[in-house]
Short mmCIF file of all heavy atoms in Angstrom, two decimals:
data_model
loop_
_atom_site.label_atom_id
_atom_site.label_comp_id
_atom_site.label_asym_id
_atom_site.label_seq_id
_atom_site.Cartn_x
_atom_site.Cartn_y
_atom_site.Cartn_z
N ASP F 434 148.96 167.23 99.56
CA ASP F 434 148.52 168.59 99.63
C ASP F 434 147.17 168.68 99.16
O ASP F 434 146.27 169.51 99.72
CB ASP F 434 149.41 169.59 98.87
CG ASP F 434 150.78 169.51 99.35
OD1 ASP F 434 151.13 169.77 100.63
OD2 ASP F 434 151.79 169.12 98.57
N LEU F 435 146.78 167.88 98.18
CA LEU F 435 145.41 167.76 97.61
C LEU F 435 144.94 166.42 97.60
O LEU F 435 145.59 165.45 97.20
CB LEU F 435 145.36 168.33 96.21
CG LEU F 435 144.10 168.18 95.38
CD1 LEU F 435 143.02 169.07 95.98
CD2 LEU F 435 144.21 168.56 93.83
N ILE F 436 143.66 166.17 98.28
CA ILE F 436 143.16 164.87 98.38
C ILE F 436 141.78 164.88 97.71
O ILE F 436 140.90 165.61 98.09
CB ILE F 436 143.01 164.46 99.88
CG1 ILE F 436 144.46 164.42 100.53
CG2 ILE F 436 142.41 163.04 100.01
CD1 ILE F 436 144.69 165.64 101.42
N LEU F 437 141.71 163.98 96.70
CA LEU F 437 140.41 163.89 96.12
C LEU F 437 139.82 162.47 96.31
O LEU F 437 140.55 161.51 96.33
CB LEU F 437 140.45 163.91 94.60
CG LEU F 437 140.26 165.29 93.84
CD1 LEU F 437 141.43 166.26 94.24
CD2 LEU F 437 140.10 165.15 92.33
N VAL F 438 138.71 162.37 96.90
CA VAL F 438 138.04 161.14 97.21
C VAL F 438 136.72 160.86 96.41
O VAL F 438 135.81 161.76 96.56
CB VAL F 438 137.71 160.92 98.67
CG1 VAL F 438 137.26 159.54 99.08
CG2 VAL F 438 138.98 161.36 99.55
N ASP F 439 136.64 159.91 95.63
CA ASP F 439 135.48 159.66 94.76
C ASP F 439 134.56 158.60 95.42
O ASP F 439 135.03 157.87 96.29
CB ASP F 439 136.03 159.12 93.36
CG ASP F 439 134.78 159.35 92.35
OD1 ASP F 439 133.74 159.79 92.68
OD2 ASP F 439 135.06 159.00 91.19
N GLU F 440 133.43 158.55 95.07
CA GLU F 440 132.43 157.55 95.56
C GLU F 440 132.35 157.53 97.04
O GLU F 440 132.17 156.62 97.78
CB GLU F 440 132.71 156.11 95.19
CG GLU F 440 132.69 155.79 93.62
CD GLU F 440 131.38 155.79 93.14
OE1 GLU F 440 130.33 155.85 93.80
OE2 GLU F 440 131.25 155.69 91.81
N VAL F 441 132.16 158.84 97.62
CA VAL F 441 132.02 159.14 99.04
C VAL F 441 130.89 158.50 99.64
O VAL F 441 130.86 158.26 100.89
CB VAL F 441 132.25 160.64 99.28
CG1 VAL F 441 132.17 160.88 100.73
CG2 VAL F 441 133.59 160.98 98.79
N SER F 442 129.72 158.32 98.88
CA SER F 442 128.51 157.76 99.45
C SER F 442 128.84 156.31 100.03
O SER F 442 128.15 155.87 100.85
CB SER F 442 127.43 157.57 98.36
OG SER F 442 127.80 156.67 97.35
N MET F 443 129.91 155.62 99.65
CA MET F 443 130.23 154.40 100.17
C MET F 443 130.94 154.36 101.48
O MET F 443 131.24 153.36 102.25
CB MET F 443 131.16 153.59 99.14
CG MET F 443 130.42 153.26 97.84
SD MET F 443 131.51 152.39 96.78
CE MET F 443 131.67 150.85 97.66
N LEU F 444 131.40 155.52 101.91
CA LEU F 444 132.20 155.66 103.20
C LEU F 444 131.16 155.49 104.39
O LEU F 444 130.34 156.25 104.61
CB LEU F 444 132.92 156.96 103.27
CG LEU F 444 134.07 157.35 102.34
CD1 LEU F 444 134.66 158.63 102.63
CD2 LEU F 444 135.10 156.24 102.24
N ASP F 445 131.53 154.52 105.20
CA ASP F 445 130.78 154.49 106.41
C ASP F 445 131.44 155.37 107.52
O ASP F 445 132.47 155.84 107.22
CB ASP F 445 130.52 153.01 106.93
CG ASP F 445 131.87 152.26 107.17
OD1 ASP F 445 132.76 152.86 107.52
OD2 ASP F 445 131.79 151.02 107.17
N ILE F 446 130.86 155.38 108.73
CA ILE F 446 131.43 156.26 109.70
C ILE F 446 132.87 155.88 110.16
O ILE F 446 133.73 156.70 110.46
CB ILE F 446 130.34 156.23 110.90
CG1 ILE F 446 130.72 157.42 111.88
CG2 ILE F 446 130.56 154.84 111.76
CD1 ILE F 446 130.14 158.67 111.29
N TYR F 447 133.12 154.53 110.12
CA TYR F 447 134.52 154.08 110.44
C TYR F 447 135.62 154.45 109.46
O TYR F 447 136.58 154.85 109.87
CB TYR F 447 134.47 152.56 110.71
CG TYR F 447 133.27 152.12 111.76
CD1 TYR F 447 132.43 151.16 111.37
CD2 TYR F 447 133.33 152.77 113.02
CE1 TYR F 447 131.44 150.72 112.20
CE2 TYR F 447 132.24 152.30 113.83
CZ TYR F 447 131.26 151.35 113.41
OH TYR F 447 130.28 150.84 114.25
N LEU F 448 135.22 154.04 108.26
CA LEU F 448 136.32 154.37 107.15
C LEU F 448 136.40 155.86 106.98
O LEU F 448 137.62 156.35 106.80
CB LEU F 448 135.80 153.75 105.84
CG LEU F 448 136.86 153.91 104.75
CD1 LEU F 448 138.23 153.26 105.25
CD2 LEU F 448 136.38 153.03 103.45
N ALA F 449 135.36 156.65 107.10
CA ALA F 449 135.52 158.08 107.04
C ALA F 449 136.35 158.63 108.23
O ALA F 449 137.11 159.43 108.02
CB ALA F 449 134.07 158.79 107.11
N GLY F 450 136.14 158.04 109.45
CA GLY F 450 136.93 158.44 110.54
C GLY F 450 138.44 158.22 110.32
O GLY F 450 139.31 158.86 110.74
N PHE F 451 138.78 156.94 109.79
CA PHE F 451 140.10 156.67 109.44
C PHE F 451 140.64 157.59 108.51
O PHE F 451 141.84 158.08 108.55
CB PHE F 451 140.25 155.29 108.77
CG PHE F 451 140.21 154.03 109.80
CD1 PHE F 451 139.39 153.04 109.66
CD2 PHE F 451 141.08 154.11 110.97
CE1 PHE F 451 139.41 151.97 110.54
CE2 PHE F 451 141.07 153.12 111.81
CZ PHE F 451 140.23 152.04 111.59
#
Side-chain angles (χ1 to χ4, degrees):
D434 303 296
L435 172 65
I436 297 100
L437 268 73
V438 187
D439 199 4
E440 297 288 353
V441 177
S442 64
M443 295 183 66
L444 295 183
D445 63 23
I446 198 75
Y447 308 123
L448 187 54
F451 278 132

